[in-house]
Amino acid sequence: MQLRDGIIELNSTGYFYYTMEFPRPYDIVIYFVAPSCKLCNDLNEQYQKVAKFYGDSGALYKSEQKRAVFFATMTFNDKNKQVFEQLGFVSAPNLFVSQPHIVFVPQDERDRYLRDMKWSISYTDGTVTAHKFLEFINKRTGRQIDYKASTSEALTVIGVLLGAFTLGAILFIIGRPLFLNPKLWFIGSVIIFITCLAGVVYNIIHNVPFFTQNNRGGLQWKTNNGRQQLGFEGLFLSLGMTFTGLTMVLIMRLNVLIKHQKIDPFVQRIIYLTLFLCIFLTIQFVEDNYRQKSHYNPIYWPPKHYIKGPLNKDQGNSF
């Protein structure tokens, strides 16, 4: 086979022969691309890195417990259009891990098998790195190949960490009284909480878009895929949870805040009920959005089958 950077160039004939051949002591990882696909070209370097990691680890040869793993690429054209259609690819790029037992997968289970073994990559996946490729491929080949950073990458990370530490130390020395202000700590804690809960760091690392377009060309602010999210989606739900928490704090403190004010008791009750209603509606909104993305189906009220009773046995306490 013709190799380019340790990657096999497949045509339709080679695809059917090397994937449908049985028995075969190897798995094939195939990167499906299209000629005019910018994303395909952008991710090609990351795919080559993973192929090299596998090659350097000796995965091109089978062991007693593991099959060999080969890497290939296939470019869309009129001659291999059938392969793309058979795998259900409607766009590019795509990653597919072909294992020997694909030959014997019954037709009624084939869709599930393909769904587990293929990854139709899109911009909503954020920045797809060699780490993401490795995670996907390792899980399906049963190997544990680690990412090996180059010397320049390692030096860059060390330099950034040292620079950030030095800058932080200088700022703390200059603004020591400000940094010891309790109000600043409270505001900073809330901001950190919102940031962590919204997945902002993940979004930055993977270059997740804030919004995207749906199939009808309209603005889309969230996805229904549990493995994906948009920037606004995470931030919006994070703000909802933060609002709920801060409102609970406000309810606890409200009696102290208004005890010196001459407010009618009926008005006080209206204020409390309004705050409770805001909390309830916000929780319902957050639940509905999570339920669309997660098979855990989270709900505020414990299910009827949950054990109820003492604190150490009541499963509803986690809620």
Side-chain angles (χ1 to χ4, degrees):
M1 301 295 293
Q2 181 183 355
L3 293 177
R4 179 175 57 82
D5 300 322
I7 298 174
I8 303 167
E9 300 273 3
L10 280 179
N11 55 25
S12 58
T13 304
Y15 170 81
F16 285 111
Y17 179 80
Y18 288 103
T19 60
M20 296 303 168
E21 179 74 7
F22 191 87
R24 58 176 166 103
Y26 56 86
D27 294 334
I28 307 178
V29 181
I30 309 174
Y31 183 49
F32 290 86
V33 299
S36 58
C37 172
K38 182 179 182 301
L39 183 58
C40 302
N41 295 329
D42 293 342
L43 300 183
N44 190 54
E45 181 181 352
Q46 304 301 321
Y47 183 64
Q48 290 177 1
K49 281 184 180 180
V50 176
K52 187 175 186 304
F53 295 154
Y54 262 74
D56 292 345
S57 69
L60 295 178
Y61 304 92
K62 71 171 184 175
S63 63
E64 292 182 4
Q65 300 85 14
K66 307 289 184 184
R67 292 184 293 269
V69 181
F70 294 101
F71 284 75
T73 186
M74 191 171 190
T75 305
F76 177 82
N77 55 45
D78 292 336
K79 294 182 179 179
N80 57 34
K81 182 179 179 180
Q82 179 186 358
V83 176
F84 280 72
E85 292 177 346
Q86 185 184 78
L87 294 173
F89 297 146
V90 295
S91 62
N94 299 278
L95 195 66
F96 176 57
V97 180
S98 173
Q99 296 179 333
H101 62 269
I102 186 179
V103 181
F104 300 106
V105 175
Q107 189 61 39
D108 57 342
E109 296 182 14
R110 189 174 181 81
D111 290 341
R112 183 184 60 80
Y113 172 82
L114 291 178
R115 186 169 62 250
D116 292 340
M117 290 297 168
K118 68 181 182 180
W119 176 13
S120 295
I121 305 170
S122 67
Y123 284 103
T124 57
D125 289 313
T127 301
V128 178
T129 61
H131 289 281
K132 278 192 172 183
F133 274 133
L134 272 174
E135 180 183 3
F136 182 87
I137 297 169
N138 281 343
K139 187 175 181 179
R140 285 149 184 83
T141 60
R143 292 181 179 265
Q144 189 54 52
I145 308 301
D146 297 322
Y147 182 91
K148 299 176 182 178
S150 63
T151 303
S152 59
E153 288 176 327
L155 290 175
T156 300
V157 172
I158 292 172
V160 170
L161 289 175
L162 288 176
F165 179 78
T166 303
L167 179 62
I170 293 173
L171 290 176
F172 180 79
I173 293 173
I174 295 174
R176 181 182 174 84
L178 181 65
F179 283 111
L180 297 180
N181 188 321
K183 294 181 180 178
L184 179 66
W185 275 100
F186 175 76
I187 295 172
S189 299
V190 172
I191 293 174
I192 292 172
F193 180 78
I194 293 173
T195 302
C196 293
L197 208 59
V200 171
V201 175
Y202 174 90
N203 294 343
I204 293 173
I205 292 174
H206 298 281
N207 196 28
V208 174
F210 213 63
F211 295 100
T212 187
Q213 284 188 331
N214 56 29
N215 296 332
R216 294 169 293 185
L219 193 66
Q220 182 175 338
W221 66 274
K222 69 171 184 175
T223 67
N224 291 326
N225 189 331
R227 291 176 54 87
Q228 300 172 352
Q229 78 166 32
L230 296 173
F232 183 81
E233 171 185 0
L235 183 62
F236 195 59
L237 294 180
S238 174
L239 289 172
M241 297 179 196
T242 305
F243 169 79
T244 300
L246 292 178
T247 306
M248 289 179 175
V249 174
L250 176 61
I251 289 175
M252 299 294 291
R253 299 278 297 174
L254 197 56
N255 187 47
V256 177
L257 295 175
I258 66 176
K259 69 178 182 180
H260 299 298
Q261 305 294 329
K262 295 183 178 180
I263 299 178
D264 186 87
F266 177 77
V267 176
Q268 292 185 30
R269 292 189 181 95
I270 294 298
I271 293 174
Y272 280 115
L273 288 173
T274 302
L275 292 176
F276 275 115
L277 181 62
C278 290
I279 290 175
F280 181 79
L281 293 177
T282 304
I283 289 176
Q284 291 298 312
F285 173 78
V286 172
E287 279 182 10
D288 289 341
N289 282 274
Y290 266 91
R291 195 174 292 116
Q292 295 174 18
K293 296 177 66 74
S294 172
H295 63 275
Y296 292 114
N297 193 27
I299 55 176
Y300 186 71
W301 308 108
K304 293 181 179 179
H305 65 272
Y306 266 43
I307 299 172
K308 299 176 182 178
L311 186 64
N312 62 339
K313 291 184 179 180
D314 195 325
Q315 291 178 300
N317 284 318
S318 61
F319 290 80

